[in-house]
Amino acid sequence: MLDRCCFGLAEPLEHSDRLNPMRTGALILAISMTLAACGLKGTTGGELNSSQTPEMMATALVDLVAENHTFGEGPPPFTEYLIQDRIDPSAGAPTASPDDSARSLTDAERTAIEEAISEFGPVRWIDDPDDWRTPELVPTVEGAVILGVGEPEIDGETGLVPVSLWCGGLCGTWLTYRLDVVDGLWEVTDIEGPVAVS
Protein backbone atom coordinates (compact mmCIF):
# COMPACT_ATOMS: atom_id res chain seq x y z
CA MET A 1 0.00 0.00 0.00
CA LEU A 2 1.36 3.41 -0.89
CA ASP A 3 1.60 5.64 2.13
CA ARG A 4 3.04 8.72 0.45
CA CYS A 5 1.12 11.96 0.74
CA CYS A 6 3.13 14.33 -1.41
CA PHE A 7 3.80 14.70 -5.11
CA GLY A 8 7.11 13.28 -6.24
CA LEU A 9 8.84 11.67 -9.19
CA ALA A 10 11.79 9.35 -9.12
CA GLU A 11 14.12 8.82 -12.07
CA PRO A 12 12.37 8.02 -15.37
CA LEU A 13 11.93 4.46 -16.58
CA GLU A 14 14.68 3.27 -18.89
CA HIS A 15 12.10 1.88 -21.32
CA SER A 16 10.50 5.31 -21.79
CA ASP A 17 13.43 6.73 -23.77
CA ARG A 18 12.12 7.99 -27.11
CA LEU A 19 13.68 7.43 -30.54
CA ASN A 20 12.94 9.51 -33.61
CA PRO A 21 9.90 8.24 -35.57
CA MET A 22 11.84 6.67 -38.47
CA ARG A 23 14.19 4.80 -36.16
CA THR A 24 11.25 3.72 -33.99
CA GLY A 25 9.38 2.34 -37.02
CA ALA A 26 12.46 0.49 -38.24
CA LEU A 27 13.10 -0.88 -34.76
CA ILE A 28 9.50 -2.13 -34.37
CA LEU A 29 9.67 -3.78 -37.80
CA ALA A 30 13.00 -5.45 -36.95
CA ILE A 31 11.68 -6.69 -33.60
CA SER A 32 8.48 -7.98 -35.22
CA MET A 33 10.40 -9.90 -37.87
CA THR A 34 12.81 -11.32 -35.30
CA LEU A 35 10.02 -12.45 -32.99
CA ALA A 36 8.09 -14.01 -35.84
CA ALA A 37 11.17 -15.84 -37.07
CA CYS A 38 12.05 -17.13 -33.61
CA GLY A 39 8.49 -18.04 -32.65
CA LEU A 40 8.64 -15.86 -29.53
CA LYS A 41 5.45 -14.60 -27.95
CA GLY A 42 6.92 -11.38 -26.60
CA THR A 43 5.34 -8.14 -27.75
CA THR A 44 6.04 -4.45 -27.75
CA GLY A 45 3.09 -2.33 -26.67
CA GLY A 46 0.74 -5.29 -27.02
CA GLU A 47 0.86 -5.02 -30.83
CA LEU A 48 1.99 -8.58 -31.58
CA ASN A 49 -0.28 -10.40 -29.14
CA SER A 50 -3.10 -8.07 -28.20
CA SER A 51 -5.07 -10.97 -26.74
CA GLN A 52 -3.01 -10.57 -23.55
CA THR A 53 -3.68 -6.87 -22.99
CA PRO A 54 -7.28 -7.11 -21.67
CA GLU A 55 -6.34 -9.29 -18.70
CA MET A 56 -3.17 -7.28 -18.01
CA MET A 57 -5.00 -3.94 -18.02
CA ALA A 58 -7.84 -5.21 -15.85
CA THR A 59 -5.43 -6.78 -13.35
CA ALA A 60 -3.37 -3.58 -13.10
CA LEU A 61 -6.43 -1.35 -12.57
CA VAL A 62 -7.85 -3.68 -9.92
CA ASP A 63 -4.57 -3.51 -8.00
CA LEU A 64 -4.54 0.28 -8.31
CA VAL A 65 -8.11 0.60 -7.03
CA ALA A 66 -7.87 -2.05 -4.31
CA GLU A 67 -4.31 -1.56 -3.05
CA ASN A 68 -2.86 1.79 -4.12
CA HIS A 69 -5.86 4.12 -3.87
CA THR A 70 -3.98 6.30 -1.28
CA PHE A 71 -6.73 6.12 1.35
CA GLY A 72 -4.93 3.70 3.66
CA GLU A 73 -6.31 0.32 4.67
CA GLY A 74 -9.79 -0.80 3.74
CA PRO A 75 -11.87 -0.80 0.60
CA PRO A 76 -11.68 2.04 -1.92
CA PRO A 77 -14.01 4.92 -0.99
CA PHE A 78 -15.18 5.83 -4.48
CA THR A 79 -18.84 6.08 -5.49
CA GLU A 80 -18.28 5.65 -9.23
CA TYR A 81 -15.42 4.70 -11.56
CA LEU A 82 -14.94 7.00 -14.56
CA ILE A 83 -12.63 5.09 -16.88
CA GLN A 84 -10.92 6.67 -19.88
CA ASP A 85 -11.91 4.85 -23.07
CA ARG A 86 -8.58 5.59 -24.74
CA ILE A 87 -4.97 4.87 -23.83
CA ASP A 88 -4.02 7.44 -21.17
CA PRO A 89 -0.73 9.10 -22.23
CA SER A 90 -0.14 10.31 -18.65
CA ALA A 91 -0.63 6.89 -17.07
CA GLY A 92 2.51 6.08 -15.12
CA ALA A 93 3.79 9.70 -15.21
CA PRO A 94 1.61 12.82 -14.75
CA THR A 95 4.14 14.99 -16.60
CA ALA A 96 3.64 13.17 -19.91
CA SER A 97 2.42 15.26 -22.81
CA PRO A 98 -1.21 14.91 -23.91
CA ASP A 99 -1.69 12.78 -27.01
CA ASP A 100 -4.89 13.27 -28.98
CA SER A 101 -3.92 10.37 -31.24
CA ALA A 102 -3.93 7.79 -28.42
CA ARG A 103 -5.78 4.69 -29.54
CA SER A 104 -9.18 3.68 -28.26
CA LEU A 105 -9.33 0.66 -25.98
CA THR A 106 -10.51 -2.46 -27.80
CA ASP A 107 -13.87 -4.02 -27.04
CA ALA A 108 -12.07 -6.89 -25.32
CA GLU A 109 -10.03 -4.50 -23.16
CA ARG A 110 -13.11 -2.51 -22.17
CA THR A 111 -15.06 -5.67 -21.35
CA ALA A 112 -12.28 -7.09 -19.17
CA ILE A 113 -11.75 -3.79 -17.35
CA GLU A 114 -15.47 -3.18 -16.81
CA GLU A 115 -16.06 -6.69 -15.47
CA ALA A 116 -13.14 -6.33 -13.04
CA ILE A 117 -13.82 -2.79 -11.81
CA SER A 118 -17.62 -3.13 -11.58
CA GLU A 119 -17.05 -5.31 -8.52
CA PHE A 120 -16.10 -2.09 -6.70
CA GLY A 121 -18.98 0.06 -7.95
CA PRO A 122 -20.65 1.60 -11.03
CA VAL A 123 -18.47 2.10 -14.12
CA ARG A 124 -18.83 4.89 -16.66
CA TRP A 125 -16.65 5.19 -19.78
CA ILE A 126 -15.40 8.71 -20.55
CA ASP A 127 -13.42 10.33 -23.34
CA ASP A 128 -11.53 13.45 -22.23
CA PRO A 129 -10.89 13.34 -18.46
CA ASP A 130 -10.63 17.16 -18.36
CA ASP A 131 -14.35 17.29 -19.22
CA TRP A 132 -14.99 15.40 -15.98
CA ARG A 133 -13.04 17.71 -13.64
CA THR A 134 -14.38 20.83 -11.98
CA PRO A 135 -12.34 24.08 -11.82
CA GLU A 136 -11.37 22.88 -8.32
CA LEU A 137 -9.90 19.73 -9.97
CA VAL A 138 -12.30 17.22 -8.43
CA PRO A 139 -14.42 14.84 -10.52
CA THR A 140 -17.74 16.31 -11.63
CA VAL A 141 -19.43 13.21 -10.21
CA GLU A 142 -19.28 13.52 -6.43
CA GLY A 143 -17.13 10.83 -4.84
CA ALA A 144 -15.99 9.43 -8.19
CA VAL A 145 -12.49 8.58 -9.39
CA ILE A 146 -11.03 8.92 -12.88
CA LEU A 147 -8.94 5.94 -13.99
CA GLY A 148 -6.57 5.60 -16.93
CA VAL A 149 -4.39 2.85 -18.33
CA GLY A 150 -1.42 3.13 -20.66
CA GLU A 151 -0.19 0.84 -23.40
CA PRO A 152 1.15 -2.42 -21.95
CA GLU A 153 4.63 -3.63 -22.85
CA ILE A 154 4.84 -7.41 -23.00
CA ASP A 155 7.88 -9.66 -23.17
CA GLY A 156 6.94 -13.31 -22.90
CA GLU A 157 5.43 -13.93 -19.48
CA THR A 158 6.28 -10.55 -18.01
CA GLY A 159 5.04 -7.07 -18.80
CA LEU A 160 4.58 -3.46 -17.71
CA VAL A 161 1.26 -1.60 -17.43
CA PRO A 162 1.16 2.14 -16.60
CA VAL A 163 -1.95 3.34 -14.73
CA SER A 164 -3.40 6.55 -13.30
CA LEU A 165 -5.96 7.42 -10.63
CA TRP A 166 -7.38 10.93 -10.14
CA CYS A 167 -9.88 11.96 -7.47
CA GLY A 168 -8.86 15.57 -6.83
CA GLY A 169 -6.09 18.17 -6.90
CA LEU A 170 -4.49 16.44 -3.91
CA CYS A 171 -5.73 12.96 -4.75
CA GLY A 172 -3.90 11.24 -7.55
CA THR A 173 -1.56 8.33 -8.24
CA TRP A 174 0.54 7.52 -11.29
CA LEU A 175 2.70 4.39 -11.46
CA THR A 176 3.70 1.44 -13.62
CA TYR A 177 3.07 -2.12 -12.49
CA ARG A 178 5.22 -5.10 -13.40
CA LEU A 179 3.06 -8.15 -14.08
CA ASP A 180 4.12 -11.77 -14.46
CA VAL A 181 2.22 -14.88 -15.48
CA VAL A 182 1.63 -16.89 -12.28
CA ASP A 183 -0.24 -20.20 -12.57
CA GLY A 184 -1.45 -19.19 -16.01
CA LEU A 185 -2.81 -15.75 -15.02
CA TRP A 186 -1.33 -12.25 -15.10
CA GLU A 187 -0.52 -11.02 -11.58
CA VAL A 188 0.96 -7.75 -10.30
CA THR A 189 4.35 -8.58 -8.82
CA ASP A 190 6.00 -5.18 -8.37
CA ILE A 191 5.98 -1.46 -9.11
CA GLU A 192 8.50 -0.44 -11.77
CA GLY A 193 10.14 2.97 -12.02
CA PRO A 194 8.82 6.27 -10.66
CA VAL A 195 5.71 6.68 -8.52
CA ALA A 196 3.90 10.01 -8.30
CA VAL A 197 1.29 10.78 -5.66
CA SER A 198 -0.53 14.08 -5.15
Side-chain angles (χ1 to χ4, degrees):
M1 177 75 61
L2 293 176
D3 58 359
R4 305 173 195 192
C5 59
C6 59
F7 181 85
L9 282 176
E11 60 186 355
L13 291 173
E14 291 178 10
H15 70 273
S16 66
D17 293 338
R18 303 277 183 206
L19 300 173
N20 70 49
M22 291 187 70
R23 287 187 63 201
T24 301
L27 180 61
I28 289 172
L29 178 60
I31 290 171
S32 300
M33 292 173 62
T34 302
L35 291 174
C38 297
L40 297 176
K41 62 179 179 177
T43 69
T44 300
E47 294 175 355
L48 301 178
N49 192 348
S50 60
S51 65
Q52 298 182 61
T53 63
E55 182 187 345
M56 293 178 74
M57 291 175 162
T59 299
L61 285 174
V62 164
D63 203 88
L64 179 65
V65 167
E67 300 296 329
N68 295 127
H69 53 68
T70 74
F71 282 87
E73 298 296 327
F78 310 116
T79 59
E80 189 168 350
Y81 295 84
L82 311 177
I83 307 175
Q84 296 175 58
D85 62 6
R86 306 180 74 77
I87 289 294
D88 177 8
S90 68
T95 57
S97 300
D99 183 2
D100 293 335
S101 66
R103 73 169 177 86
S104 297
L105 299 182
T106 67
D107 289 343
E109 289 166 346
R110 286 176 55 144
T111 298
I113 290 169
E114 185 164 347
E115 287 178 356
I117 297 299
S118 63
E119 294 186 19
F120 299 99
V123 168
R124 186 184 315 197
W125 291 97
I126 64 171
D127 182 19
D128 185 348
D130 288 337
D131 292 342
W132 295 84
R133 293 186 183 110
T134 70
E136 293 75 31
L137 300 179
V138 297
T140 57
V141 178
E142 187 174 350
V145 63
I146 298 172
L147 300 176
V149 62
E151 194 72 72
E153 295 184 16
I154 310 168
D155 184 9
E157 295 191 343
T158 190
L160 301 173
V161 180
V163 290
S164 66
L165 177 154
W166 180 274
C167 52
L170 294 176
C171 180
T173 305
W174 299 262
L175 55 85
T176 298
Y177 285 119
R178 175 169 293 283
L179 289 84
D180 294 291
V181 176
V182 178
D183 296 328
L185 299 174
W186 286 102
E187 183 177 301
V188 171
T189 55
D190 204 355
I191 293 174
E192 182 91 2
V195 174
V197 179
S198 68

